[in-house]
Structures are given as structure tokens and as C-alpha cells.
Amino acid sequence: MIQPNVGKAKRGSAMKIVIVGAGAMGTLFGGRLARAGHQVVFVDTDNARIGAIAQQGVFENGVAALCEAALPGTLEGVADLLILFTKSLHTALAMKANAAALKPDGLVLTLQNGLGNGEAIAEVVGASRVLVGITNWPADLLDHGRIHVDGAGIVKLWSLTGEDSPALHTVSDALSDAGLSATAEPSVQQAIWEKVIFNAALNGIAALTGMAVGQIGDFGPVRELAMRIVTEGVVVAEAAGVTVEPDKVGASVEFAMEHHRGHKPSMLQDVEAGRPTEVDAIQGGLLKAAIQWGVAAPALETCAALLRGLDHRAAITRKC
Ligand code: NAD
């Protein structure tokens, strides 16, 4: 039996929030925002997922939230906020299909991994309506509308244009009030780049070798490759004019090798399941910037080419 959502939006009025991408992260954010008193509608291309959510709501570690669900392109002029939580390879398509769901002054938030998501969304709705950021909340999808969350995380967000606004703080407050520990952070680009460098190093090597994070740390040649990718990523960021803290990124990779030993990064999970990876936004995103700013990044280039090879092989297998 699903209990009605008990929360009442604490600060400001309740928002109508459309979550595009009802996977692990969309379910986490949408479920918590619904329980905090917002009206949440999930949109996904997976009909079975939408049907299950419409019927049962969503569940985080067994705790239910009531939500609505709709197929892409069926909502018009309803959303104060649209949160895009597809994988980055679907960002442009998902945004184009669902832009009409926004109210005229509605905002779009992306906390997806990789570079270029905010810019792809801005091409559809205009840069002034886009909020960008990162999250390290961990969520695993168990079944349609059902996730397991082991641990806690944070959210950092700011506008894509760099400008401050009351609406940006309203969104940050709503996420915090829903228990998602959000901060409005003017230096959000630093956080986005530090996360993409971390992901380029560990996710890519895990996907290519089949190794969990601890195994990468234990084996010298791949550990050194991970640290070389971090060094290249930092050089690319600096060339692009983004300040990152090299020691902090290196230390977070080493911390993961020591303390998240059994973790299988999402890119490895994608390869094992025969799904396309986020290589274009992660390693490919850094590589694009390296080319744009005239910086050599041979380790990143090699990893990106090999990952694209894996994606290509998986695509051929899916067609057979
Ligand atoms: P997921 O694969 O679990 O969910 C993605 C959902 O998007 C799926 O339900 C899929 O059917 C849907 N989708 C695909 N194309 C669509 C379209 N055109 N329109 C609407 N829906 C569409 O992915 P996830 O793990 O939730 O990750 C989402 C993003 O968050 C990624 O960029 C990921 O790297 C990032 N992220 C994930 C985690 C995590 O712990 N899972 C943590 C931090 C960041």
C-alpha cells in the first residue's frame, strides 16, 4: 500500500517538476522531491517503466513516493523545473522531445556526468534557462521505479551563464529541503571538470579492463595510466581556462582506489550490459576541449578510441 506523500514544500511554494529520465538518478531525485511536497511527473522513453511508475509510484530503499508519469512529448507548459537525468548520450534528443513541457519561465537542471550537457540543453531552450552542476549521490536501479541508495552525497549547482538569480536559489533550497544536500556554488564549473577528470580516469579504465576500482589501484600499470589521465585532464582544464585543484582530483582517485575497492563504475556496468557508454561526454568531452585548446592528451585519446570500439562492437551485437 503506497502512503501519500507527507511533505509540504518548506520554503516557497510547491513546484511542478518534470523528471526526464526515470532511471536510477531520476528516481532518487523525483522520489525525494515528491515526498518533500512537490508535484513530480516522470517522463521516459521506456513505456514499461512509465506504466509501472504511473501505477505504483517510486520506491527508494522500499520507501514509496506518489508521482505521475508521462510519455515523452505529451506534456505542455506545466513545468517550473525540468531535471534531465538521461545518460549524456541522450541529452539533446530528450531535451528536444520535452522542451514544450516547460512553462515560459521554467528552468532546466542537469546534474549528468560529462561535459557539454548544459550547452546541448541551451541550444534548445536558451542558456539563460539552464542550471548545471554535479552530484555524487549513489543510486542503483533495481527495477522500474525502484532504487537502492547506499550512502549519501551532495549536489552543487549554478547557472550555465554564471549569473546569480533568485530562481537558482529556489531550486537549490528545494533540493536541500528534499534531503539532497544542495549548495548554490558559483565555481560549479570547477566541480564539473574535477568530476569529469575523475570519471575519465576510473570509469574508462574499469570499462576497458573489467577491473573494479580497488583492482585498478592494486596493479601498477593501470594505476599509473589512471594518474596520467588525471594529469592530462588537469592540463586540458587549465588550457580551457577552468581552475581545478590537481592534488584534490588525484587524491579523490586514490581515495576511491583505497575505500571503494569493490565499486564497478557505471561505464563498466554499461559495457557488461551491452549498453552504449558515456564516452562522448566524459573522455570525448575532455578530448574535444584538448583539440580546441591545442593541448596533447595521448592517454585520453587512446582510451576514448578503445571505448568507442567497445561501443561499436556492442552496437553490432545489439543489431544481430
Ligand atoms: P539510467 O540509465 O539508470 O537512467 C537513464 C534513463 O533515461 C532510463 O530510464 C532511460 O530509459 C531514460 N531515457 C533514455 N533516453 C531518453 C529520452 N530520450 N527521453 C526520456 N528518457 C530517456 O542512468 P542514471 O544512472 O540515472 O544516470 C543518469 C545520469 O546521472 C548520467 O549522466 C550518469 O553518469 C549520472 N550519474 C549517475 C549516478 C548514479 O549513481 N547512478 C551518480 C552520479 C551521476
Side-chain angles (χ1 to χ4, degrees):
M1 174 86 178
I2 300 171
Q3 300 300 317
N5 303 331
V6 288
K8 266 199 181 151
K10 284 184 189 163
R11 291 178 270 191
S13 50
M15 287 188 280
K16 179 108 174 182
I17 300 173
V18 172
I19 305 276
V20 177
M25 296 305 282
T27 301
L28 168 63
F29 277 64
R32 287 200 176 197
L33 286 161
R35 284 201 301 279
H38 298 282
Q39 202 182 343
V40 172
V41 190
F42 284 98
V43 173
D44 203 288
T45 43
D46 185 329
N47 290 0
R49 189 156 293 177
I50 285 304
I53 293 172
Q55 209 169 20
Q56 306 164 6
V58 297
F59 296 81
E60 175 189 336
N61 297 348
V63 178
L66 283 178
C67 305
E68 296 167 47
L71 289 171
T74 57
L75 300 172
E76 251 182 70
V78 293
D80 299 295
L81 175 66
L82 185 155
I83 306 182
L84 197 59
F85 256 139
T86 65
K87 287 279 173 70
S88 53
L89 58 153
H90 300 126
T91 300
L93 208 62
M95 194 62 243
K96 279 179 199 148
N98 296 290
L102 284 166
K103 285 181 179 170
D105 59 349
L107 296 177
V108 183
L109 168 66
T110 167
L111 303 172
Q112 298 156 286
N113 280 331
L115 298 178
N117 290 300
E119 290 75 4
I121 294 167
E123 278 189 22
V124 184
V125 299
S128 63
R129 298 172 70 186
V130 183
L131 306 179
V132 294
I134 59 107
T135 180
N136 61 1
W137 277 91
D140 290 312
L141 193 64
L142 305 174
D143 199 350
H144 298 319
R146 290 174 190 267
I147 54 163
H148 177 69
V149 177
D150 187 10
I154 53 139
V155 175
K156 290 182 182 177
L157 72 152
W158 197 255
S159 65
L160 179 65
T161 60
E163 280 167 31
D164 198 355
S165 72
L168 151 65
H169 294 274
T170 302
V171 172
S172 178
D173 289 346
L175 294 173
S176 272
D177 291 344
L180 289 158
S181 304
T183 49
E185 181 68 58
S187 61
V188 74
Q189 288 298 337
Q190 176 178 343
I192 290 172
W193 279 73
E194 286 176 349
K195 187 149 197 257
V196 81
I197 294 168
F198 174 95
N199 285 335
L202 284 182
N203 277 23
I205 293 174
L208 289 166
T209 61
M211 285 170 151
V213 170
Q215 292 172 316
I216 294 172
D218 290 346
F219 186 56
V222 283
R223 184 186 179 102
E224 281 163 27
L225 179 59
M227 299 324 277
R228 202 175 318 149
I229 289 173
V230 169
T231 306
E232 286 183 8
V234 168
V235 171
V236 176
E238 283 168 356
V242 181
T243 307
V244 291
E245 292 180 43
D247 293 346
K248 190 170 136 199
V249 189
S252 64
V253 169
E254 280 168 0
F255 183 89
M257 288 168 172
E258 294 302 319
H259 298 280
H260 302 153
R261 294 186 55 77
H263 177 59
K264 272 189 179 185
S266 60
M267 210 173 248
L268 170 55
Q269 292 180 38
D270 288 336
V271 168
E272 287 182 343
R275 293 186 298 254
T277 68
E278 293 187 292
V279 57
D280 284 343
I282 299 177
Q283 292 81 4
L286 283 168
L287 206 52
K288 199 172 154 195
I291 292 163
Q292 185 182 349
W293 298 102
V295 173
L300 265 167
E301 195 174 348
T302 306
C303 274
L306 292 171
L307 287 163
R308 284 177 172 136
L310 286 180
D311 275 3
H312 183 65
R313 190 189 65 185
I316 292 168
T317 309
R318 281 196 302 276
K319 274 186 200 148
C320 294

